[in-house]
Amino acid sequence: MPGNYRHKTTSVTLINYHFVWIPKRRKKVLVGNVAIRLEELLYEKTKELECEILALEIMEDHVHLFVSCPPILAPDQIMFRLKGYTSRVLRQEFPHLLRMPSMWTRSYFCGTAGDASSETIKKYIANQKTR
């Protein structure tokens, strides 16, 4: 269940991150089939990392991801793996993205959230397209 505690043998955790990142030069390339494929890839990779997507919004020039993660993954490792994987696959499948020097910038935003503010962040991300 989204936002629920993770129970392991020696720990109980609730670690939710709100990530935001952008394509290189903030190009508006996250549209149409690229956006659809990016969403599929993010779900695929987060599952592999044992993370759970709580909210996701792909805008034409940035991505909002709210994700529940195990305590063994640091935020920089999550971003490194998500951005690296999606960049590699998207650039293979969509040759026009090869014209960009790289798919993503090296920077990103990461905010932490416990259970209390999870609903607030989900609403914020859901309302991005209406702005």
Side-chain angles (χ1 to χ4, degrees):
M1 285 286 184
N4 282 352
Y5 293 95
R6 291 173 181 262
H7 296 267
K8 295 289 183 188
T9 307
T10 58
S11 66
V12 178
T13 60
L14 175 63
I15 301 172
N16 296 335
Y17 296 116
H18 175 204
F19 289 107
V20 181
W21 70 97
I22 61 173
K24 192 75 167 182
R25 299 184 182 141
R26 200 145 185 163
K27 294 269 188 186
K28 296 181 179 192
V29 295
L30 306 177
V31 296
N33 289 336
V34 173
I36 292 167
R37 186 65 174 129
L38 175 58
E39 182 173 345
E40 293 169 354
L41 294 171
L42 288 171
Y43 273 96
E44 194 176 289
K45 193 63 173 180
T46 53
K47 183 176 182 182
E48 180 186 310
L49 296 173
E50 296 181 14
C51 296
E52 181 182 1
I53 293 178
L54 305 176
L56 172 65
E57 198 64 62
I58 299 171
M59 309 299 286
E60 60 188 13
D61 65 350
H62 67 283
V63 179
H64 283 272
L65 174 67
F66 188 45
V67 64
S68 174
C69 301
I72 59 168
L73 290 174
D76 67 319
Q77 279 301 305
I78 297 165
M79 274 289 90
F80 177 79
R81 293 178 186 187
L82 292 180
K83 288 164 77 173
Y85 177 68
T86 57
S87 175
R88 186 171 51 257
V89 175
L90 289 174
R91 288 162 66 90
Q92 285 172 353
E93 294 180 6
F94 300 94
H96 71 277
L97 297 176
L98 292 171
R99 287 185 243 143
M100 299 169 63
S102 61
M103 181 70 199
W104 307 113
T105 63
R106 293 186 308 156
S107 59
Y108 61 91
F109 164 82
C110 178
T112 58
D115 199 32
S117 59
S118 292
E119 285 306 313
T120 304
I121 293 172
K122 285 183 200 175
K123 287 178 188 172
Y124 170 77
I125 291 172
N127 289 327
Q128 285 300 296
K129 290 227 173 169
T130 60
R131 295 178 131 204

